[in-house]
Amino acid sequence: MKSVTNANAVEIRGVHKSFGALSVLKGIDLSIGSGEVVCVIGPSGSGKSTLLRCVNLLEEPEAGQIFVGGVEITDPDVDIDAQRRRIGMVFQQFNLFPHLTVTENLTLPQRRVLGRAPDEAARVAVENLERVGLAAKSKSYPAQLSGGQQQRVAIARALAMNPELMLFDEPTSALDPELVGDVLAVMRMLAREGMTMMVVTHEMSFAREVADRVVFMDGGVIVEQGPGAQVIGNPTQERTRTFLSRVLDPAAVSLPG
């Protein structure tokens, strides 16, 4: 199993990914430092979610290397299950077990994957529910929670596994607008705590305020990257400017012809 010393938290080198004849990632190079928050933005179909899923090998690249914490997860000999234990992932959908309580949703993976004793798993569950402001909902079932609360439970579940890296794939896209703020507040808290985070998002204000770096992708390549205030506030590339004008002021877009 290959590793590198003095590594970034994530190192992506020359990654290509295709689905049939469709080339989705075209030689991506990207590094994420320990404790850094990187937001990936771009239009639908730009490859940003595919790139995120490659970081824990939910999608397997055809070419290139990906290192997480200095270990090459694209090495054929890697113990990918062991490496995934170091990575938390939060999806658009909450993926909670509907027949289990909130606490049980948090304790089950700890016991099954990490081998924690029930008492320890319950203690960790309580700690992380408190972190996301949902300790009072520990005995509730997912159907009794709002979408925003369910997503915060999903974040707490990921945190209960003590990850070194958190991946977020558009975590607010399935939420009603009034519920988005609570989820983003939890993510801001994690950023303040120094959690390394890679976030695919359409929330431009979050990307501008919280991200150490914003990466704009289009057509399977990184078009532009830099501090959020620069990429979102004063982009250098015309494609970035066009995308942001449509996202930040959709009412100004006119139909062709």
Side-chain angles (χ1 to χ4, degrees), residues 82-89 106 109-110 113-114 116 120-121 123-125 127-128 131 155-166 193 195-196:
Q83 297 309 312
R84 283 183 179 140
R85 294 184 196 119
R86 305 160 59 203
I87 305 170
M89 187 157 185
L106 267 68
Q110 294 182 65
V113 177
L114 301 181
R116 285 179 179 157
E120 182 186 6
R123 176 185 60 78
V124 172
E127 289 176 356
N128 284 287
R131 290 175 77 187
I155 294 173
R157 177 180 58 188
L159 294 174
M161 305 296 284
N162 298 120
E164 301 169 20
L165 165 69
M166 286 286 288
E193 292 177 354
M195 175 64 73
T196 306

Side-chain angles (χ1 to χ4, degrees), residues 22-226:
L22 178 63
S23 180
V24 178
L25 299 177
K26 304 172 183 177
I28 298 293
D29 294 300
L30 181 65
S31 300
I32 299 175
S34 179
E36 189 177 19
V37 178
V38 173
C39 284
V40 185
I41 65 172
S44 297
S46 61
K48 54 191 188 295
S49 289
T50 299
L51 177 63
L52 192 79
R53 291 170 65 86
C54 284
V55 173
N56 65 355
L57 233 59
L58 289 177
E59 299 290 352
E60 190 167 350
E62 282 96 31
Q65 295 174 294
I66 299 175
F67 295 84
V68 176
V71 176
E72 185 188 351
I73 65 167
T74 44
D75 184 336
D77 297 325
V78 76
D79 183 346
I80 190 58
D81 290 332
Q83 297 309 312
R84 283 183 179 140
R85 294 184 196 119
R86 305 160 59 203
I87 305 170
M89 187 157 185
V90 178
F91 300 87
Q92 297 178 36
Q93 302 301 325
F94 322 124
N95 299 324
L96 301 176
F97 291 111
H99 63 291
L100 300 181
T101 66
V102 164
T103 295
E104 289 167 342
N105 266 283
L106 267 68
T107 56
L108 180 64
Q110 294 182 65
R111 290 163 43 214
R112 293 278 180 87
V113 177
L114 301 181
R116 285 179 179 157
D119 288 350
E120 182 186 6
R123 176 185 60 78
V124 172
V126 169
E127 289 176 356
N128 284 287
L129 287 172
E130 289 175 347
R131 290 175 77 187
V132 302
L134 288 175
K137 300 292 186 179
S138 62
K139 296 181 180 179
S140 299
Y141 289 88
Q144 297 172 310
L145 305 179
S146 70
Q149 289 172 331
Q150 290 186 63
Q151 190 62 294
R152 285 151 63 196
V153 171
I155 294 173
R157 177 180 58 188
L159 294 174
M161 305 296 284
N162 298 120
E164 301 169 20
L165 165 69
M166 286 286 288
L167 307 176
F168 293 87
D169 188 6
E170 300 190 23
T172 60
S173 65
L175 302 180
D176 291 334
E178 64 181 332
L179 303 176
V180 168
D182 291 339
V183 173
L184 294 181
V186 170
M187 295 170 67
R188 285 188 175 92
M189 173 199 71
L190 294 178
R192 289 194 301 269
E193 292 177 354
M195 175 64 73
T196 306
M197 298 161 59
M198 185 175 178
V199 184
V200 171
T201 184
H202 289 296
E203 301 292 340
M204 295 302 134
S205 61
F206 175 85
R208 186 202 296 259
E209 297 165 16
V210 179
D212 297 297
R213 188 154 37 106
V214 171
V215 174
F216 173 67
M217 289 184 65
D218 189 34
V221 300
I222 293 175
V223 176
E224 182 170 358
Q225 61 177 304

